[in-house]
Amino acid sequence: MLDVLRVYWVQLIKQPKNTIRQAMEETSTKLLFVLISLFGITLCLEQAMNRDAGDTTSIPVILLLSMVIGPILGAVAWFLGSLCTFGVARLFGGVATFRETSEASAWATVAYTTKMALFIPMLLIFRQENFTSNTPDIDSSMFLALLFFLCLTANFVMTIYYIIVHSKIIGEIHEIGSWKGFASIILVPLVLILLLFLLALSQ
């Protein structure tokens, strides 16, 4: 299993369309669990950073909760995302099954989980201030402030690239092209955000 991950991780990030079918042929239930768990842990850590969880929770607790809740959150996000993507891709004339869509979506998360390579040094350098609204150490140092800004920029770029990789993978397995693959993964979340926005305005 680890050998399969090592072989396809970088290849999927560099050449997703040329690699995804080979990776799917070697997908096992254990491997899916690992991919989804890592995705969920990364998602939890990012949400903790975005929501300033450190204002009320210590780093050890945040890390522990990410390890425990992360795999569950990852599984829910992966399943619902795969379901929505499958439905929209089918409307665009996609040919892949739900199982193929879900496996491909799981492999696409490697581009997102790669953020862990950024989060780990951020935890070592910025510590609690990664998760807090008040950042006195960062604010008092031009070097730390610049470094933190560069890390946030890199994180944003990696999110965009994850969407690109996911779009190419879905477009490839459904044989509908990358742009329709992009629409397949973004359309339902976009509609939901729009509906929530309209509901907020109406109140």
Side-chain angles (χ1 to χ4, degrees):
M1 182 182 66
L2 293 178
D3 289 338
V4 175
L5 271 177
R6 184 166 55 251
V7 168
Y8 292 110
W9 194 290
V10 176
Q11 291 185 34
L12 275 166
I13 294 174
K14 294 173 62 176
Q15 298 178 313
K17 295 178 70 172
N18 297 333
T19 309
I20 184 58
R21 294 188 186 277
Q22 299 170 23
M24 287 171 63
E25 288 178 1
E26 300 191 47
T27 303
S28 64
T29 303
K30 288 182 179 180
L31 184 54
L32 276 178
F33 175 77
V34 171
L35 289 170
I36 295 164
S37 296
L38 290 174
F39 169 63
I41 292 168
T42 308
L43 188 61
C44 269
L45 285 173
E46 183 164 37
Q47 288 302 307
M49 290 180 181
N50 293 338
R51 296 176 182 275
D52 298 325
D55 289 346
T56 56
T57 311
S58 65
I59 287 182
V61 174
I62 290 173
L63 295 178
L64 180 61
L65 289 175
S66 296
M67 295 294 291
V68 174
I69 299 175
I72 299 172
L73 178 63
V76 172
W78 163 73
F79 178 79
L80 293 178
S82 297
L83 188 62
C84 294
T85 299
F86 170 72
V88 178
R90 281 288 191 169
L91 291 177
F92 287 137
V95 298
T97 63
F98 174 70
R99 179 175 179 176
E100 290 169 334
T101 304
S102 60
E103 286 184 359
S105 294
W107 274 111
T109 62
V110 301
Y112 186 88
T113 304
T114 302
K115 288 184 177 189
M116 290 295 289
L118 178 65
F119 290 165
I120 292 173
M122 286 181 70
L123 286 171
L124 294 174
I125 297 171
F126 306 113
R127 300 182 297 279
Q128 186 80 10
E129 292 189 9
N130 282 294
F131 304 102
T132 57
S133 54
N134 293 320
T135 54
D137 290 341
I138 294 175
D139 294 341
S140 63
S141 170
M142 181 67 71
F143 173 74
L144 286 179
L146 178 59
L147 187 58
F148 191 66
F149 172 76
L150 291 176
C151 287
L152 293 180
T153 301
N155 181 50
F156 176 74
V157 171
M158 292 172 82
T159 300
I160 297 300
Y161 193 68
Y162 159 65
I163 295 173
I164 293 172
V165 169
H166 199 175
S167 300
K168 289 183 176 182
I169 284 175
I170 295 301
E172 174 65 21
I173 65 161
H174 276 280
E175 300 178 10
I176 56 177
S178 298
W179 280 108
K180 288 183 178 179
F182 171 73
S184 297
I185 65 174
I186 206 71
L187 187 60
V188 172
L190 191 62
V191 170
L192 290 175
I193 291 171
L194 180 60
L195 288 174
L196 290 174
F197 178 73
L198 292 175
L199 285 173
L201 288 179
S202 64
Q203 293 180 355

